Amino acid sequence: MIKPTPKDEEIELDPKRYIVSETDAKGKITYCNDYFKEVSGYTEEELIGSPHNIVRHPDMPKVVFKLLWETISRGKNINAVVKNLAKDGRYYWIFTEFEIRKNTDTGEIIGYHASRKTISKYVIGVIAELYAKLLEIEKTQGVKASQDYLVKFLKDKGDNVEFANIMEEIHRFY
């Protein structure tokens, strides 16, 4: 599938509705609710079986997804602010709660559940600035340098601040 060309046009989300999706352990979509289809502009047939990065916006730094996958692969839930790309090229910001789904018999991770909701414009501004800096570093110095910058950014905010709870920390500091 060809990625849409991004437009500088934001989709305003309904603060009373949640975007919900589930993936298998490899990140392929296995479930999406009607609001996800509505906002993303994709049909259920286009979404089910596709990698969840079908909605990844090019403004998102790779390091965010690297750290996100590392965290959930270790069996830890995580929250993150993500800028997604709709099929028509518009974008939408969401606060996403990633929860691990496990096989009840074996305890093996079998997939992930994500529910998303709106986020304040102020927090989006803080995150957008941080993500732009991380993306700039990635383009010139690579993902490792971007991760080093993020770690330093978090350390500058206080002791024991980790990526796994970055969104709570950003809410706390801003």
Side-chain angles (χ1 to χ4, degrees):
M1 185 174 290
I2 298 172
K3 283 280 209 179
T5 302
K7 298 180 198 176
D8 189 21
E9 186 179 334
E10 184 172 6
I11 298 170
E12 293 293 329
L13 299 179
D14 181 342
K16 295 179 182 171
R17 296 179 73 188
Y18 280 81
I19 295 172
V20 178
S21 66
E22 292 184 357
T23 67
D24 63 16
K26 300 216 185 273
K28 297 227 187 241
I29 300 170
T30 58
Y31 169 79
C32 53
N33 74 346
D34 289 340
Y35 194 47
F36 184 22
K37 292 180 280 190
E38 179 184 326
V39 172
S40 73
Y42 289 101
T43 65
E44 187 166 350
E45 293 75 25
E46 290 171 308
L47 291 169
I48 301 298
S50 294
H52 209 287
N53 68 9
I54 190 172
V55 293
R56 183 180 295 175
H57 196 285
D59 287 352
M60 285 298 301
K62 290 177 184 171
V63 70
V64 170
F65 294 102
K66 175 186 181 290
L67 295 173
L68 187 144
W69 277 104
E70 286 175 2
T71 302
I72 60 178
S73 295
R74 289 193 313 265
K76 294 182 176 182
N77 294 337
I78 188 170
N79 297 325
V81 174
V82 179
K83 183 178 185 180
N84 279 343
L85 180 65
K87 185 177 180 179
D88 66 4
R90 295 181 299 158
Y91 67 91
Y92 55 100
W93 284 96
I94 49 173
F95 180 82
T96 305
E97 301 170 5
F98 295 92
E99 296 177 8
I100 295 148
R101 294 184 305 122
K102 293 184 179 184
N103 178 312
T104 53
D105 296 329
T106 65
E108 174 187 10
I109 295 173
I110 57 170
Y112 307 97
H113 174 90
S115 63
R116 301 159 188 89
K117 58 186 176 183
T118 58
I119 190 165
S120 77
K121 294 292 182 191
Y122 182 73
V123 172
I124 289 171
V126 171
I127 293 294
E129 188 177 307
L130 173 61
Y131 285 3
K133 180 66 177 173
L134 294 172
L135 195 58
E136 175 189 323
I137 293 168
E138 283 179 13
K139 288 179 181 178
T140 59
Q141 302 170 50
V143 174
K144 172 73 170 90
S146 181
Q147 184 170 343
D148 292 345
Y149 178 89
L150 180 57
V151 167
K152 182 180 181 327
F153 174 86
L154 294 171
K155 280 188 176 189
D156 289 348
K157 299 299 176 198
D159 293 335
N160 300 320
V161 177
E162 297 178 8
F163 180 77
N165 58 0
I166 184 175
M167 296 308 127
E168 285 83 7
E169 296 301 331
I170 287 173
H171 280 287
R172 189 178 82 180
F173 291 116
Y174 297 99

